[in-house]
Amino acid sequence: MQLTGRCLCEAISYQIEGPLGPIFNCHCSKCRRWHGSAFRTRASIRSSQFRWLSGEHLLSRFKSSDNVTKTFCSVCGSNLASFYENDPDLVGIALGGLEQDPGQRPLAHIFAASKAPWHEISDDLPQFAEWPGGEAQVRATRQDDNP
Ligand SMILES: [Zn+2]
Ligand SMILES: [Zn+2]
């Protein structure tokens, strides 16, 4: 499966060779601020699955913590991919920019302990107070790693 996504001004576009890793709704304060919303719906993919198609020279970068660099469009401000200095094989993507249905659905709410007080989680998905078991465990649950 091939997925594409774009920023709001459409100057930056990217391509993902599916499938995505597990999709989570992240309620951490950084994601809430970054997206200006109740949560960020995101998935991890391998860096080999991801490539920029256009507008890479317009990317802005922000180091949000020691090991995380977030990218966004310098023209329209759309949040794009996250890169991890301590795990360069991984890319975090926001599902909001996708142009197709990836065919997968969110598996859980993560960092639910940090959720906005004005937002009620109203579905039956599992809720984890923080990251559920660390990056290694999440990667091990990726569909393409299953037997
Ligand atoms: Zn843009
Ligand atoms: Zn988050």
Side-chain angles (χ1 to χ4, degrees):
M1 167 182 287
Q2 202 168 80
L3 301 168
T4 52
R6 319 181 168 268
C7 66
L8 178 60
C9 77
E10 302 190 349
I12 298 177
S13 61
Y14 52 90
Q15 177 179 301
I16 296 166
E17 294 292 337
L20 305 176
I23 301 170
F24 294 126
N25 293 330
C26 185
H27 297 258
C28 83
S29 60
K30 285 181 177 172
C31 285
R32 289 195 283 109
R33 286 181 191 144
W34 191 28
H35 286 263
S37 62
F39 53 85
R40 159 179 167 87
T41 302
R42 52 90 64 206
S44 295
I45 56 173
R46 292 213 170 83
S47 55
S48 58
Q49 294 178 264
F50 181 87
R51 73 184 179 99
W52 299 109
L53 291 178
S54 65
E56 194 175 349
H57 64 288
L58 293 171
L59 279 178
S60 283
R61 293 173 174 80
F62 174 67
K63 213 164 152 55
S64 61
S65 64
D66 281 350
N67 290 314
V68 182
T69 298
K70 297 185 176 303
T71 61
F72 56 97
C73 176
S74 60
V75 177
C76 68
S78 297
N79 308 313
L80 298 164
S82 300
F83 297 91
Y84 309 95
E85 276 76 359
N86 60 348
D87 197 348
D89 185 40
L90 214 60
V91 178
I93 58 139
L95 266 65
L98 292 183
E99 297 179 296
Q100 302 84 17
D101 182 352
Q104 300 163 241
R105 297 292 179 263
L107 297 179
H109 297 276
I110 62 173
F111 289 95
S114 309
K115 81 171 183 66
W118 45 263
H119 174 68
E120 295 303 330
I121 297 174
S122 56
D123 59 40
D124 295 328
L125 293 177
Q127 297 182 24
F128 295 92
E130 295 183 343
W131 186 264
E135 194 76 38
Q137 185 176 326
V138 169
R139 295 180 72 189
T141 64
R142 291 167 49 108
Q143 283 91 339
D144 57 345
D145 286 336
N146 286 346

